[in-house]
Amino acid sequence: MDINDMTKPWGLEVDRVELVFGSSLNTEEAPQAPLIMPPSLPGLEGLPGPLQQLALQFLSQNLPQNKPECSLTVMDELRTPPSPQSPPSPQLPPSPQSPPSPRSVQELLGAVKLLLSESLVNRVQACFQFHISSENHQQQSYFVDLRQGSGTAGPGAAPDPDVTLSVSDSDLLSLFEGTLRPFSAFSSGRLRVQGDVKTAMKLEELIQLLRK
């Protein structure tokens, strides 16, 4: 049991100990043989001689015989070996930056004019009138007419618009930046619509084109 207490941490369990005497020695006739101590191995220092002999016998049976010298290495299994360093990844060229978002209603109107086309008119087929309020309670009117030709846009009132949209200047910029969706603005009351709501939602075509 005492031996087991010391060998179990090695993964060894001793279930039997045999003492075999080949012949009885007479201490008066035969000199006492010297006590043979096993060579010291790393990791076994401090153990009694019999336990070192037991460990050496176990190691001699499990290590290759063609090696003249054997050693015992104590490893820390809890510490993971350092992983080889991977070569640095190649640097990719910087992606082209998107144009800055309009910071005012006038800049937004200029950006919209650049996007007017017959293709956009064919997809939308509607005229939008905007009544825009600012923080100092000033009112401004703009229109985007996408009913014929390549479309037109500018300040003022459009003749016979399909829908009239009332919104603040900050929310209008958020709509065209994509941070505020038209339906969400309408549902929350930040966008007031006079006319067909389904037609007003066609404004999403122009918003998506502006974001590209």
Side-chain angles (χ1 to χ4, degrees):
M1 291 177 64
D2 292 338
I3 295 176
N4 255 333
D5 291 340
M6 302 189 68
T7 58
K8 279 185 178 179
W10 305 346
L12 302 176
E13 183 177 355
V14 180
D15 58 358
R16 185 179 59 183
V17 176
E18 280 190 20
L19 299 179
V20 179
F21 295 91
S23 61
S24 177
L25 296 179
N26 189 349
T27 57
E28 296 180 357
E29 297 178 358
Q32 185 177 3
L35 179 62
I36 300 175
M37 295 298 295
S40 178
L41 290 179
L44 300 180
E45 297 87 348
L47 295 179
L51 291 182
Q52 289 193 25
Q53 288 182 349
L54 178 63
L56 287 173
Q57 182 179 2
F58 173 76
L59 292 174
S60 63
Q61 294 176 359
N62 291 275
L63 291 176
Q65 299 298 325
N66 55 354
K67 293 185 178 181
E69 296 182 358
C70 299
S71 62
L72 179 65
T73 304
V74 179
M75 299 182 63
D76 187 358
E77 297 181 358
L78 298 179
R79 184 176 302 171
T80 57
S83 58
Q85 295 183 356
S86 57
S89 57
Q91 295 184 355
L92 299 177
S95 57
Q97 296 182 356
S98 58
S101 301
R103 292 176 294 180
S104 66
V105 178
Q106 287 75 17
E107 291 183 7
L108 177 61
L109 181 63
V112 169
K113 288 181 178 180
L114 297 176
L115 298 175
L116 298 179
S117 64
E118 293 183 1
S119 175
L120 180 62
V121 169
N122 293 333
R123 294 199 304 269
V124 177
Q125 287 292 309
C127 179
F128 305 93
Q129 178 69 52
F130 295 92
H131 294 314
I132 304 171
S133 60
S134 60
E135 294 181 355
N136 54 6
H137 304 290
Q138 291 184 355
Q139 297 287 333
Q140 295 177 332
S141 297
Y142 297 90
F143 71 91
V144 178
D145 192 349
L146 301 175
R147 291 179 291 193
Q148 60 182 356
S150 298
T152 57
D160 192 21
D162 294 297
V163 290
T164 300
L165 309 173
S166 299
V167 65
S168 66
D169 53 358
S170 59
D171 286 342
L172 181 67
L173 294 176
S174 298
L175 284 170
F176 281 88
E177 288 174 357
T179 56
L180 179 64
R181 301 296 298 274
F183 185 77
S184 299
F186 173 74
S187 302
S188 61
R190 298 165 66 177
L191 174 65
R192 297 184 298 276
V193 178
Q194 294 179 0
D196 185 25
V197 176
K198 185 177 180 180
T199 303
M201 294 302 110
K202 290 183 178 181
L203 187 64
E204 185 76 26
E205 290 280 349
L206 180 58
I207 293 174
Q208 292 181 358
L209 189 60
L210 183 64
R211 292 180 60 189
K212 292 179 181 179

Coordinates of all heavy atoms in Angstrom, one line a residue, residues 93-148:
P93 N -4.8 45.7 -51.4 CA -4.9 47.2 -51.7 C -6.2 47.7 -51.1 O -7.2 47.0 -51.0 CB -5.0 47.2 -53.3 CG -5.4 45.8 -53.7 CD -4.9 44.9 -52.6
P94 N -6.1 49.0 -50.7 CA -7.3 49.5 -50.1 C -8.5 49.6 -51.1 O -8.3 49.9 -52.2 CB -6.9 51.0 -49.7 CG -5.7 51.2 -50.6 CD -5.0 49.9 -50.8
S95 N -9.7 49.3 -50.5 CA -10.9 49.3 -51.4 C -11.3 50.7 -51.7 O -11.1 51.6 -50.8 CB -12.0 48.6 -50.7 OG -12.3 49.2 -49.4
P96 N -11.8 51.0 -52.8 CA -12.2 52.4 -53.2 C -13.3 52.9 -52.2 O -14.2 52.2 -51.9 CB -12.7 52.2 -54.6 CG -13.1 50.8 -54.8 CD -12.1 50.0 -53.9
Q97 N -13.1 54.1 -51.7 CA -14.1 54.6 -50.8 C -15.3 55.1 -51.5 O -15.2 55.7 -52.6 CB -13.4 55.8 -50.0 CG -12.2 55.3 -49.1 CD -11.7 56.5 -48.4 OE1 -12.1 57.7 -48.6 NE2 -10.7 56.2 -47.5
S98 N -16.4 54.9 -50.9 CA -17.7 55.4 -51.5 C -17.7 56.9 -51.3 O -17.1 57.5 -50.4 CB -18.9 54.8 -50.7 OG -18.8 55.0 -49.4
P99 N -18.4 57.6 -52.2 CA -18.5 59.1 -52.1 C -19.2 59.5 -50.8 O -20.0 58.7 -50.3 CB -19.3 59.5 -53.3 CG -20.1 58.2 -53.7 CD -19.2 57.1 -53.3
P100 N -18.8 60.6 -50.2 CA -19.5 61.0 -49.0 C -20.9 61.3 -49.1 O -21.4 61.7 -50.2 CB -18.7 62.3 -48.6 CG -18.2 62.8 -49.9 CD -17.9 61.6 -50.7
S101 N -21.7 61.0 -48.0 CA -23.1 61.2 -48.1 C -23.4 62.7 -48.1 O -22.7 63.5 -47.5 CB -23.8 60.6 -46.8 OG -23.5 59.2 -46.8
P102 N -24.5 63.1 -48.7 CA -24.9 64.5 -48.7 C -25.1 65.0 -47.3 O -25.7 64.3 -46.5 CB -26.2 64.6 -49.6 CG -26.1 63.3 -50.4 CD -25.4 62.3 -49.6
R103 N -24.7 66.2 -47.0 CA -24.8 66.8 -45.7 C -25.9 67.9 -45.6 O -26.1 68.4 -44.6 CB -23.5 67.4 -45.2 CG -22.4 66.3 -45.0 CD -21.1 67.0 -44.6 NE -20.5 67.7 -45.8 CZ -19.4 68.4 -45.7 NH1 -18.7 68.4 -44.6 NH2 -18.9 69.0 -46.8
S104 N -26.5 68.2 -46.8 CA -27.6 69.2 -46.8 C -28.6 68.8 -47.8 O -28.3 67.9 -48.7 CB -27.0 70.6 -47.0 OG -26.5 70.6 -48.3
V105 N -29.8 69.4 -47.8 CA -30.8 69.1 -48.8 C -30.4 69.5 -50.2 O -30.6 68.9 -51.2 CB -32.1 69.8 -48.4 CG1 -33.2 69.5 -49.4 CG2 -32.6 69.2 -47.0
Q106 N -29.6 70.6 -50.2 CA -29.1 71.1 -51.5 C -28.1 70.1 -52.1 O -28.2 69.8 -53.4 CB -28.5 72.5 -51.4 CG -29.5 73.6 -51.1 CD -30.0 73.6 -49.7 OE1 -29.4 73.0 -48.8 NE2 -31.1 74.4 -49.5
E107 N -27.2 69.6 -51.3 CA -26.3 68.6 -51.8 C -27.1 67.3 -52.3 O -26.7 66.7 -53.3 CB -25.3 68.2 -50.8 CG -24.3 69.3 -50.5 CD -23.2 68.9 -49.5 OE1 -23.2 67.7 -49.1 OE2 -22.4 69.8 -49.1
L108 N -28.1 66.9 -51.5 CA -28.9 65.8 -51.9 C -29.6 66.0 -53.2 O -29.6 65.1 -54.0 CB -29.9 65.5 -50.8 CG -30.9 64.3 -51.0 CD1 -30.1 63.0 -51.2 CD2 -31.9 64.2 -49.8
L109 N -30.1 67.2 -53.4 CA -30.8 67.5 -54.7 C -29.8 67.4 -55.8 O -30.2 66.9 -56.9 CB -31.4 68.9 -54.6 CG -32.2 69.3 -55.9 CD1 -33.4 68.4 -56.1 CD2 -32.7 70.7 -55.7
G110 N -28.6 67.9 -55.6 CA -27.6 67.8 -56.7 C -27.2 66.3 -57.0 O -27.0 66.0 -58.2
A111 N -27.1 65.5 -56.0 CA -26.8 64.1 -56.2 C -28.0 63.4 -56.9 O -27.7 62.5 -57.8 CB -26.5 63.4 -54.9
V112 N -29.2 63.7 -56.6 CA -30.4 63.1 -57.3 C -30.4 63.5 -58.7 O -30.7 62.6 -59.6 CB -31.7 63.5 -56.6 CG1 -32.9 63.1 -57.4 CG2 -31.7 62.9 -55.2
K113 N -30.1 64.7 -59.1 CA -30.1 65.1 -60.5 C -29.1 64.3 -61.3 O -29.4 64.1 -62.5 CB -29.8 66.6 -60.6 CG -30.9 67.6 -60.1 CD -30.5 69.0 -60.3 CE -31.6 69.9 -59.8 NZ -31.2 71.4 -60.0
L114 N -28.0 63.9 -60.7 CA -27.0 63.1 -61.5 C -27.5 61.7 -61.8 O -26.9 61.0 -62.6 CB -25.7 63.1 -60.7 CG -25.0 64.4 -60.5 CD1 -23.7 64.2 -59.6 CD2 -24.6 65.0 -61.8
L115 N -28.5 61.3 -61.0 CA -29.0 59.9 -61.2 C -30.2 59.8 -62.1 O -30.7 58.6 -62.3 CB -29.3 59.3 -59.8 CG -28.1 59.2 -58.8 CD1 -28.6 58.7 -57.5 CD2 -27.1 58.3 -59.3
L116 N -30.8 60.9 -62.5 CA -32.0 60.8 -63.3 C -31.7 60.2 -64.7 O -30.7 60.4 -65.3 CB -32.5 62.2 -63.5 CG -32.9 63.0 -62.3 CD1 -33.4 64.4 -62.6 CD2 -34.0 62.2 -61.5
S117 N -32.6 59.2 -65.1 CA -32.4 58.5 -66.3 C -33.7 58.0 -66.8 O -34.7 57.9 -66.0 CB -31.4 57.4 -66.2 OG -31.9 56.4 -65.2
E118 N -33.8 57.6 -68.0 CA -35.0 57.0 -68.5 C -35.3 55.6 -67.9 O -36.4 55.3 -67.7 CB -34.9 56.8 -70.1 CG -34.8 58.1 -70.8 CD -34.8 57.9 -72.3 OE1 -34.8 56.7 -72.8 OE2 -34.7 58.9 -73.1
S119 N -34.2 54.9 -67.5 CA -34.4 53.6 -66.9 C -35.1 53.8 -65.5 O -36.0 53.0 -65.2 CB -33.1 52.9 -66.7 OG -33.2 51.7 -66.0
L120 N -34.7 54.8 -64.8 CA -35.3 55.1 -63.5 C -36.7 55.5 -63.6 O -37.6 55.1 -62.9 CB -34.5 56.1 -62.7 CG -35.0 56.6 -61.4 CD1 -34.9 55.4 -60.4 CD2 -34.1 57.7 -60.8
V121 N -37.0 56.3 -64.6 CA -38.4 56.8 -64.9 C -39.3 55.6 -65.2 O -40.4 55.5 -64.7 CB -38.4 57.8 -66.0 CG1 -39.8 58.1 -66.5 CG2 -37.7 59.1 -65.6
N122 N -38.8 54.7 -66.0 CA -39.6 53.5 -66.4 C -39.9 52.6 -65.2 O -41.0 52.0 -65.1 CB -38.9 52.7 -67.5 CG -38.7 53.4 -68.8 OD1 -39.6 54.3 -69.1 ND2 -37.7 53.1 -69.6
R123 N -39.0 52.6 -64.2 CA -39.2 51.8 -63.0 C -40.2 52.4 -62.0 O -40.9 51.8 -61.3 CB -37.9 51.4 -62.3 CG -37.0 50.5 -63.2 CD -36.0 49.8 -62.3 NE -35.2 50.8 -61.5 CZ -34.0 51.3 -61.9 NH1 -33.6 51.0 -63.2 NH2 -33.4 52.1 -61.2
V124 N -40.1 53.7 -61.9 CA -40.9 54.4 -60.9 C -42.2 55.0 -61.4 O -43.3 54.7 -60.8 CB -40.0 55.6 -60.3 CG1 -40.8 56.3 -59.2 CG2 -38.7 55.0 -59.7
Q125 N -42.2 55.8 -62.4 CA -43.4 56.3 -63.0 C -44.3 57.0 -62.0 O -45.4 56.8 -61.8 CB -44.3 55.2 -63.7 CG -43.7 54.7 -65.0 CD -43.7 55.7 -66.1 OE1 -44.8 56.3 -66.3 NE2 -42.6 56.0 -66.7
A126 N -43.7 58.0 -61.3 CA -44.4 58.8 -60.2 C -43.7 60.1 -60.0 O -42.5 60.3 -60.3 CB -44.4 58.0 -58.9
C127 N -44.4 61.1 -59.5 CA -43.9 62.4 -59.2 C -44.0 62.6 -57.7 O -45.1 62.4 -57.1 CB -44.6 63.5 -59.9 SG -44.1 65.1 -59.6
F128 N -42.9 63.0 -57.0 CA -42.9 63.2 -55.6 C -42.7 64.7 -55.3 O -41.9 65.4 -55.8 CB -41.7 62.4 -54.9 CG -41.7 61.0 -55.3 CD1 -41.0 60.5 -56.4 CD2 -42.4 60.1 -54.5 CE1 -41.0 59.1 -56.7 CE2 -42.4 58.7 -54.8 CZ -41.7 58.3 -55.9
Q129 N -43.6 65.2 -54.4 CA -43.5 66.6 -53.9 C -43.0 66.5 -52.4 O -43.6 65.8 -51.6 CB -44.8 67.3 -54.0 CG -44.8 68.7 -53.4 CD -44.0 69.6 -54.3 OE1 -44.2 69.7 -55.5 NE2 -43.0 70.4 -53.7
F130 N -42.0 67.2 -52.1 CA -41.4 67.2 -50.7 C -41.6 68.5 -50.1 O -41.3 69.6 -50.6 CB -39.9 66.9 -50.8 CG -39.6 65.5 -51.3 CD1 -39.3 65.3 -52.6 CD2 -39.5 64.4 -50.4 CE1 -39.0 64.1 -53.1 CE2 -39.2 63.2 -50.9 CZ -38.9 63.0 -52.2
H131 N -42.2 68.5 -48.9 CA -42.3 69.7 -48.0 C -41.4 69.4 -46.8 O -41.6 68.5 -46.0 CB -43.7 69.9 -47.5 CG -44.7 70.3 -48.6 ND1 -44.4 71.3 -49.5 CD2 -45.9 69.9 -48.9 CE1 -45.4 71.4 -50.4 NE2 -46.3 70.6 -50.0
I132 N -40.3 70.1 -46.7 CA -39.2 69.9 -45.8 C -39.1 71.0 -44.7 O -39.1 72.1 -45.1 CB -37.9 69.7 -46.5 CG1 -38.0 68.7 -47.6 CG2 -36.7 69.4 -45.6 CD1 -36.8 68.6 -48.5
S133 N -39.1 70.5 -43.5 CA -39.0 71.5 -42.4 C -37.7 71.3 -41.7 O -37.1 70.2 -41.6 CB -40.1 71.2 -41.3 OG -40.0 69.9 -40.8
S134 N -37.1 72.5 -41.3 CA -35.8 72.5 -40.7 C -35.9 72.7 -39.2 O -37.1 73.0 -38.7 CB -34.9 73.6 -41.3 OG -35.5 74.8 -41.2
E135 N -34.8 72.7 -38.5 CA -34.9 72.9 -37.0 C -35.4 74.3 -36.6 O -36.0 74.5 -35.6 CB -33.5 72.6 -36.4 CG -33.1 71.2 -36.5 CD -31.7 71.0 -35.9 OE1 -31.1 72.0 -35.4 OE2 -31.3 69.8 -35.8
N136 N -35.1 75.3 -37.5 CA -35.6 76.7 -37.2 C -36.9 76.9 -37.7 O -37.3 78.1 -37.9 CB -34.6 77.7 -37.7 CG -34.3 77.5 -39.2 OD1 -34.9 76.7 -39.8 ND2 -33.3 78.3 -39.7
H137 N -37.7 75.8 -38.0 CA -39.1 75.9 -38.4 C -39.3 76.6 -39.8 O -40.4 77.1 -40.1 CB -40.0 76.6 -37.4 CG -39.8 76.0 -36.0 ND1 -40.4 74.8 -35.7 CD2 -39.2 76.4 -34.9 CE1 -40.1 74.5 -34.4 NE2 -39.4 75.5 -33.9
Q138 N -38.3 76.5 -40.6 CA -38.5 77.0 -42.0 C -38.9 75.9 -42.9 O -38.6 74.8 -42.7 CB -37.1 77.6 -42.5 CG -36.7 78.9 -41.8 CD -35.4 79.5 -42.4 OE1 -34.8 78.9 -43.3 NE2 -35.0 80.7 -41.9
Q139 N -39.8 76.3 -43.8 CA -40.3 75.3 -44.8 C -39.7 75.5 -46.2 O -39.6 76.6 -46.6 CB -41.9 75.5 -44.9 CG -42.6 75.2 -43.6 CD -42.6 73.7 -43.2 OE1 -42.6 72.9 -44.1 NE2 -42.8 73.4 -41.9
Q140 N -39.3 74.4 -46.8 CA -38.8 74.4 -48.1 C -39.5 73.3 -48.9 O -39.9 72.2 -48.4 CB -37.3 74.1 -48.1 CG -36.5 75.2 -47.4 CD -35.0 74.8 -47.4 OE1 -34.6 73.7 -47.4 NE2 -34.1 75.8 -47.4
S141 N -39.7 73.5 -50.2 CA -40.4 72.6 -51.1 C -39.5 72.2 -52.2 O -38.8 73.1 -52.8 CB -41.6 73.3 -51.7 OG -42.6 73.6 -50.6
Y142 N -39.4 70.9 -52.5 CA -38.7 70.4 -53.6 C -39.5 69.3 -54.3 O -40.5 68.8 -53.7 CB -37.4 69.7 -53.1 CG -36.4 70.7 -52.5 CD1 -36.5 71.0 -51.1 CD2 -35.4 71.4 -53.3 CE1 -35.6 71.9 -50.6 CE2 -34.6 72.3 -52.7 CZ -34.6 72.5 -51.3 OH -33.8 73.4 -50.7
F143 N -39.2 69.0 -55.5 CA -39.9 67.9 -56.3 C -39.0 67.0 -57.0 O -37.9 67.5 -57.4 CB -41.0 68.5 -57.2 CG -40.4 69.2 -58.4 CD1 -40.1 68.5 -59.6 CD2 -40.0 70.5 -58.4 CE1 -39.6 69.1 -60.7 CE2 -39.4 71.1 -59.5 CZ -39.2 70.4 -60.7
V144 N -39.4 65.8 -57.2 CA -38.7 64.9 -58.1 C -39.7 64.2 -59.0 O -40.6 63.5 -58.5 CB -37.9 63.8 -57.3 CG1 -37.3 62.8 -58.2 CG2 -36.9 64.4 -56.4
D145 N -39.7 64.6 -60.3 CA -40.7 64.1 -61.2 C -40.1 63.0 -62.1 O -39.2 63.3 -62.9 CB -41.1 65.3 -62.1 CG -42.4 64.9 -62.9 OD1 -42.7 63.7 -63.0 OD2 -43.0 65.9 -63.5
L146 N -40.6 61.8 -61.9 CA -40.1 60.6 -62.6 C -41.2 60.0 -63.5 O -41.5 58.8 -63.4 CB -39.5 59.6 -61.7 CG -38.3 60.1 -60.8 CD1 -37.9 59.0 -59.8 CD2 -37.1 60.5 -61.6
R147 N -41.9 60.9 -64.3 CA -43.0 60.4 -65.1 C -42.7 60.3 -66.5 O -43.3 59.5 -67.3 CB -44.2 61.3 -64.8 CG -44.8 61.1 -63.4 CD -46.0 62.0 -63.2 NE -45.6 63.4 -63.2 CZ -46.4 64.4 -62.7 NH1 -47.6 64.1 -62.3 NH2 -46.0 65.7 -62.8
Q148 N -41.8 61.1 -67.0 CA -41.5 61.1 -68.5 C -40.1 61.5 -68.7 O -39.4 62.2 -67.9 CB -42.5 62.1 -69.2 CG -42.4 63.5 -68.7 CD -43.4 64.4 -69.4 OE1 -44.1 64.0 -70.3 NE2 -43.4 65.7 -69.0

